[in-house]
Amino acid sequence: MTFAINREENILRFTIKRPEIRNAINHEVIDGLEKLVSTVHNDSTIQFVVITGEGDEAFCSGGDLSIFHGLHTAHEAFPMLDRMASVLYNVATLPVPVIALVNGHAVGGGCEIATACDFRLVSSKAKAGFIQGSLAITSGWGGGTYLLEKLARQDIAMHMLCESKPYGADALLEKGWATQVYDGDKEQALQSFLIEMTQVEASVHRAYKQMLIRKWIGQNLLGQIKEEVKNCSLLWEAEEHHKAVQKFLSRKK
């Protein structure tokens, strides 16, 4: 199994379990995220959702290029991009706080997943960034839209997108992307982060989350994300993208 969903008291945890390829996303992991969403909506006793990766090297390295590189045209790429963007929007709009426990590097689509979460607890050893530009595409799962929405300064968000590189934990905290940076054990960091919030009734958290969701609905965030998906699919079929991916895969070999 490439993912695990575990219940720990009032916390539902989703773990990407592909450490051998830096927890890259495949179709089965997307299936798992859909299952996560369904589980939360069917259980009113869940207070928090945590998303993390197995091991201490990677949170998520984005889409598995060995699989998705087989998609050549915009027509072929769009369904995958649109499905994952829809799943991620459903994760972002879950009725409870969603925490990315960034145990290791979060790049490309992995950075998009973490950005869609409400909070990002980042290991001091981790790096994160929107590296899609180095592959001649934009973010395609909604991550760019979330970043521009969530960072206080849009110029910083734009700089992160346009530089297309990973940043260290301290820089991520300074930019406002990381909620907290932790040293050592990720479970202790999570417990410390939640200790105050767990004293508040879950119904209060859900009410505040609904405020945020109403704001996003009012500004048509999903429509903005759909435009991001469309633009990414058009760049996906360009020769520059396929050359960049082939160069990347050759370098890995």
Side-chain angles (χ1 to χ4, degrees):
M1 184 65 73
T2 60
F3 67 89
I5 300 176
N6 301 109
R7 178 70 180 265
E8 304 157 0
E9 297 182 356
N10 61 349
I11 299 172
L12 193 67
R13 179 189 298 250
F14 184 89
T15 305
I16 305 169
K17 296 175 69 67
R18 305 187 77 205
E20 69 282 0
I21 51 171
R22 299 171 66 81
N23 293 321
I25 301 295
N26 63 3
H27 293 291
E28 189 175 10
V29 176
I30 301 176
D31 292 341
L33 289 169
E34 290 177 338
K35 183 177 179 181
L36 171 73
V37 169
S38 177
T39 301
V40 176
H41 282 293
N42 289 320
D43 189 344
S44 61
T45 67
I46 294 170
Q47 193 172 5
F48 304 101
V49 167
V50 174
I51 298 176
T52 192
E54 186 170 275
D56 55 11
E57 182 181 354
F59 169 79
C60 175
S61 59
D64 187 340
L65 291 180
S66 67
I67 297 172
F68 298 137
H69 185 43
L71 307 173
H72 295 287
T73 67
H75 180 73
E76 292 171 341
F78 182 84
M80 178 277 291
L81 295 170
D82 189 56
R83 181 192 178 200
M84 184 59 187
S86 297
V87 171
L88 199 52
Y89 180 78
N90 290 336
V91 170
T93 56
L94 283 172
V96 298
V98 182
I99 301 150
L101 188 53
V102 185
N103 54 297
H105 299 334
V107 295
C111 193
E112 297 192 57
I113 293 171
T115 304
C117 297
D118 296 306
F119 306 105
R120 283 157 294 282
L121 305 186
V122 182
S123 167
S124 60
K125 299 178 181 179
K127 291 185 177 181
F130 289 81
I131 64 169
Q132 290 90 332
S134 66
L135 296 175
I137 57 172
T138 63
S139 54
W141 293 345
T145 301
Y146 292 119
L147 187 72
L148 289 164
E149 163 67 18
K150 294 188 176 189
L151 260 59
R153 288 181 51 182
Q154 291 191 340
D155 59 331
I156 292 178
M158 280 292 291
H159 199 222
M160 287 181 68
L161 294 170
C162 292
E163 279 199 320
S164 301
K165 71 174 189 179
Y167 302 91
D170 289 341
L172 292 166
L173 185 64
E174 181 181 355
K175 292 176 184 297
W177 186 85
T179 306
Q180 285 186 7
V181 172
Y182 70 88
D183 291 303
D185 183 67
K186 71 176 184 179
E187 302 304 331
Q188 291 181 356
L190 178 63
Q191 290 178 19
S192 177
F193 180 73
L194 291 177
I195 193 166
E196 298 292 341
M197 286 199 290
T198 54
Q199 306 305 310
V200 177
E201 288 291 334
S203 58
V204 174
H205 297 157
R206 286 174 175 261
Y208 280 132
K209 189 63 183 283
Q210 284 304 315
M211 291 183 189
L212 181 59
I213 293 169
R214 285 195 298 271
K215 174 179 179 289
W216 287 346
I217 292 173
Q219 63 193 44
N220 191 25
L221 190 73
L222 182 58
Q224 297 175 47
I225 288 168
K226 294 295 185 179
E227 287 298 317
E228 177 180 330
V229 172
K230 178 182 176 181
N231 291 335
C232 181
S233 71
L234 294 174
L235 291 171
W236 189 286
E237 73 177 6
E239 183 179 358
E240 291 82 0
H241 170 59
H242 295 294
K243 284 182 177 179
V245 171
Q246 194 58 54
K247 181 178 180 181
F248 175 80
L249 292 174
S250 298
R251 190 166 65 244
K252 284 184 69 177
K253 290 178 182 178

